[in-house]
């Protein structure tokens, strides 16, 4: 998700759009900025080592994506007006590339003779943690399931009912069938 924010006024005190800068050493944002919104009431319109207020005037526009932590400081006097537009670069209506955004079917086969498997879709999350969505649980031995995939999807195959990773699958258009078995136990397919 991306945002275009257009400043429509400049006759107010305080307030204004700001960004929270990640640490140059770690790339992380300080934990205090994740602990609710109470700290916003104390913020003043001045740049610090953590907070940057872009110098925007009426008619100026600024573009940023969802990964940029941002906010608006309280207005002390006057009225602040702005207009925001949100759009997604993966919108097929504006995409001009090849067919990378089209779904395709992938065959996943449990080749184990004695192990049920769970298949999860992996999402990257904040602070390097992963989020998983369960696609299939308790895929029985010799069972085949079909997944509507996108190029680049990342799947984890787990021993059913546990977090034990049996295999990692990086989905590509070049391969539409995967068999999970003792041969590729723990490997990246």
């Amino acid at each position: 998700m991306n945002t275009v924010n257009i400043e429509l006024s400049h006759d107010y005190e305080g307030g204004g759009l700001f960004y929270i800068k990640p640490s140059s050493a770690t790339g992380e944002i300080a934990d205090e900025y994740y602990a609710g919104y109470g700290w916003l009431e104390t913020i003043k319109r001045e740049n610090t080592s953590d907070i940057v207020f872009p110098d925007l005037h009426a008619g100026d526009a600024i573009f940023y994506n969802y990964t940029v932590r941002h906010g608006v400081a309280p207005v002390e006097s006057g009225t602040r007006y702005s207009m925001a537009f949100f759009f997604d670069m993966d919108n097929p209506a504006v995409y001009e590339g090849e067919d990378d955004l089209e779904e395709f079917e992938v065959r996943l086969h449990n080749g184990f003779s004695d192990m049920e498997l769970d298949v999860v879709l992996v999402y990257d999350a904040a602070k390097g943690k992963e989020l998983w969505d369960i696609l299939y649980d308790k895929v029985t031995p010799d069972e085949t399931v079909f997944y509507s995939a996108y190029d680049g999807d990342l799947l984890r195959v787990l021993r059913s009912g546990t977090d034990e990773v049996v295999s990692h699958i990086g989905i590509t258009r070049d391969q539409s069938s995967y068999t999970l078995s003792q041969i590729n136990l723990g490997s990246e397919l």
Side-chain angles (χ1 to χ4, degrees):
M1 182 63 70
N2 297 282
T3 302
V4 175
N5 196 310
I6 302 170
E7 188 73 23
L8 297 177
S9 62
H10 197 69
D11 54 349
Y12 59 91
E13 296 294 322
L17 177 73
F18 66 87
Y19 299 105
I20 303 172
K21 293 190 328 187
S23 163
S24 59
T26 65
E28 303 270 331
I29 290 177
D31 288 339
E32 67 192 76
Y33 299 116
Y34 287 101
Y37 296 101
W39 61 273
L40 280 172
E41 296 302 319
T42 63
I43 195 166
K44 300 292 181 197
R45 189 184 174 108
E46 57 186 37
N47 292 331
T48 68
S49 59
D50 289 342
I51 305 289
V52 174
F53 285 86
D55 186 23
L56 297 176
H57 300 276
D60 289 347
I62 194 160
F63 172 89
Y64 50 93
N65 72 22
Y66 73 97
T67 64
V68 177
R69 294 281 295 182
H70 60 281
V72 177
V75 173
E76 294 169 7
S77 67
T79 304
R80 177 181 181 269
Y81 295 98
S82 69
M83 182 179 346
F85 298 95
F86 306 96
F87 64 96
D88 189 346
M89 292 299 289
D90 292 336
N91 183 341
V94 296
Y95 185 70
E96 297 176 6
E98 297 295 321
D99 59 356
D100 290 345
L101 295 179
E102 291 183 19
E103 285 183 327
F104 57 97
E105 189 172 80
V106 171
R107 176 186 172 273
L108 303 169
H109 179 74
N110 182 353
F112 286 97
S113 60
D114 60 349
M115 187 186 320
E116 288 186 337
L117 303 173
D118 295 340
V119 180
V120 298
L121 178 63
V122 178
Y123 295 96
D124 288 328
K127 298 195 176 197
K129 295 179 184 172
E130 290 182 346
L131 294 177
W132 295 351
D133 274 345
I134 296 175
L135 299 175
Y136 300 98
D137 62 341
K138 298 183 180 175
V139 178
T140 58
D142 204 36
E143 181 180 1
T144 299
V145 294
F146 294 90
Y147 167 60
S148 293
Y150 290 96
D151 200 28
D153 280 354
L154 179 60
L155 305 181
R156 296 266 191 269
V157 181
L158 312 171
R159 182 181 300 270
S160 189
T162 73
D163 288 339
E164 178 188 341
V165 177
V166 174
S167 187
H168 310 270
I169 302 174
I171 301 292
T172 66
R173 279 191 181 282
D174 301 337
Q175 186 172 351
S176 62
S177 182
Y178 299 86
T179 297
L180 303 148
S181 64
Q182 193 67 34
I183 295 170
N184 49 35
L185 185 65
S187 67
E188 192 163 321
L189 299 176

Short mmCIF file of all heavy atoms in Angstrom, two decimals, residues 14 24 58 72 81 117 143 152-153 157 172:
data_model
loop_
_atom_site.label_atom_id
_atom_site.label_comp_id
_atom_site.label_asym_id
_atom_site.label_seq_id
_atom_site.Cartn_x
_atom_site.Cartn_y
_atom_site.Cartn_z
N GLY A 14 2.01 24.12 15.04
CA GLY A 14 2.18 22.74 15.48
C GLY A 14 1.72 21.81 14.36
O GLY A 14 1.73 22.17 13.20
N SER A 24 19.96 3.85 12.80
CA SER A 24 20.94 3.61 11.74
C SER A 24 21.77 2.37 12.03
O SER A 24 22.30 1.74 11.12
CB SER A 24 21.85 4.84 11.56
OG SER A 24 22.53 5.11 12.77
N ALA A 58 1.37 24.47 1.49
CA ALA A 58 0.13 24.23 0.73
C ALA A 58 0.48 23.92 -0.72
O ALA A 58 1.25 24.63 -1.36
CB ALA A 58 -0.78 25.45 0.82
N VAL A 72 0.68 12.22 12.53
CA VAL A 72 0.42 13.66 12.45
C VAL A 72 0.42 14.20 13.87
O VAL A 72 -0.30 13.69 14.74
CB VAL A 72 -0.93 13.94 11.76
CG1 VAL A 72 -1.22 15.44 11.76
CG2 VAL A 72 -0.93 13.40 10.34
N TYR A 81 -5.42 21.19 6.85
CA TYR A 81 -6.13 20.40 5.84
C TYR A 81 -5.12 19.67 4.99
O TYR A 81 -4.08 20.22 4.62
CB TYR A 81 -6.96 21.31 4.93
CG TYR A 81 -8.09 22.03 5.62
CD1 TYR A 81 -7.94 23.35 6.04
CD2 TYR A 81 -9.30 21.39 5.86
CE1 TYR A 81 -8.97 24.02 6.68
CE2 TYR A 81 -10.34 22.05 6.50
CZ TYR A 81 -10.17 23.36 6.90
OH TYR A 81 -11.18 24.01 7.53
N LEU A 117 1.17 -33.95 7.24
CA LEU A 117 1.84 -32.67 7.07
C LEU A 117 0.85 -31.52 7.13
O LEU A 117 -0.30 -31.66 6.74
CB LEU A 117 2.56 -32.63 5.71
CG LEU A 117 3.58 -33.73 5.44
CD1 LEU A 117 4.07 -33.65 4.00
CD2 LEU A 117 4.75 -33.64 6.41
N GLU A 143 -1.41 -38.28 -0.02
CA GLU A 143 -2.46 -37.35 -0.44
C GLU A 143 -1.83 -36.22 -1.26
O GLU A 143 -0.71 -35.78 -1.01
CB GLU A 143 -3.16 -36.75 0.78
CG GLU A 143 -4.29 -35.79 0.42
CD GLU A 143 -4.99 -35.19 1.65
OE1 GLU A 143 -4.61 -35.50 2.80
OE2 GLU A 143 -5.92 -34.39 1.43
N GLY A 152 6.87 -16.58 -6.38
CA GLY A 152 7.55 -16.01 -5.22
C GLY A 152 6.93 -16.36 -3.87
O GLY A 152 7.50 -16.04 -2.84
N ASP A 153 5.75 -17.01 -3.86
CA ASP A 153 5.17 -17.44 -2.59
C ASP A 153 6.17 -18.33 -1.85
O ASP A 153 6.91 -19.11 -2.47
CB ASP A 153 3.88 -18.24 -2.80
CG ASP A 153 2.68 -17.35 -3.06
OD1 ASP A 153 2.80 -16.11 -2.98
OD2 ASP A 153 1.61 -17.91 -3.37
N VAL A 157 6.48 -26.49 5.10
CA VAL A 157 5.78 -27.75 5.33
C VAL A 157 6.20 -28.23 6.72
O VAL A 157 7.39 -28.32 7.02
CB VAL A 157 6.15 -28.79 4.25
CG1 VAL A 157 5.41 -30.09 4.50
CG2 VAL A 157 5.84 -28.23 2.86
N THR A 172 7.90 -21.13 -7.76
CA THR A 172 8.25 -20.45 -9.02
C THR A 172 7.36 -21.01 -10.13
O THR A 172 6.87 -22.14 -10.04
CB THR A 172 9.73 -20.68 -9.42
OG1 THR A 172 9.93 -22.06 -9.71
CG2 THR A 172 10.67 -20.24 -8.30
#
